[in-house]
Amino acid sequence: MNLTITQVTAPPAPSFQGTITATGTLQGTAFPLTARVNVVTVAPAGSGVLLAAGAAEQKVLNRGVAPLSVYPPVGDAIEVGAINQAVTVAVGGSATFDWDGNITWWVS
């Protein structure tokens, strides 16, 4: 009898970035997100973050004291909004953004 042993490894843990300070009031000056899960702890009024181009999914948690603007990558849209238009995540809220592989991000 011959046995073959195959090593099974767990998938990598999702990337996480906490203590993010949102910046800027426009898409071009918003803080660029790089992790799959992003916790914004400082969100000055009118500030925002920018989803990463090509990311399949990013989660944003707003733990700041003001609503947070979340911008799509340049040339993309969130849901049925206009190209490059931000959506707002309420104080204490969170949203998961899923990219369709084209130009649209869907929110859950």
Side-chain angles (χ1 to χ4, degrees), residues 27 33-36 38 50-60 70-87 95-108:
Q27 185 183 37
L33 300 176
T34 58
R36 184 169 174 222
N38 302 274
L50 177 68
L51 297 171
E57 176 183 278
Q58 285 190 291
K59 184 170 187 166
V60 178
V70 178
Y71 292 92
V74 173
D76 285 3
I78 297 174
E79 295 275 348
V80 295
I83 298 292
N84 301 326
Q85 180 180 6
V87 296
T96 301
F97 298 86
D98 294 294
W99 183 49
D100 72 355
N102 191 14
I103 66 165
T104 305
W105 291 78
W106 300 100
V107 183
S108 58

Side-chain angles (χ1 to χ4, degrees), residues 5-87:
I5 299 174
T6 304
Q7 182 177 1
V8 177
T9 58
S15 62
F16 178 87
Q17 185 174 7
T19 64
I20 294 170
T21 298
T23 59
T25 57
L26 302 170
Q27 185 183 37
T29 57
F31 182 87
L33 300 176
T34 58
R36 184 169 174 222
V37 177
N38 302 274
V39 181
V40 178
T41 54
V42 179
S47 64
V49 295
L50 177 68
L51 297 171
E57 176 183 278
Q58 285 190 291
K59 184 170 187 166
V60 178
L61 294 85
N62 181 10
R63 299 303 180 254
V65 297
L68 175 68
S69 295
V70 178
Y71 292 92
V74 173
D76 285 3
I78 297 174
E79 295 275 348
V80 295
I83 298 292
N84 301 326
Q85 180 180 6
V87 296

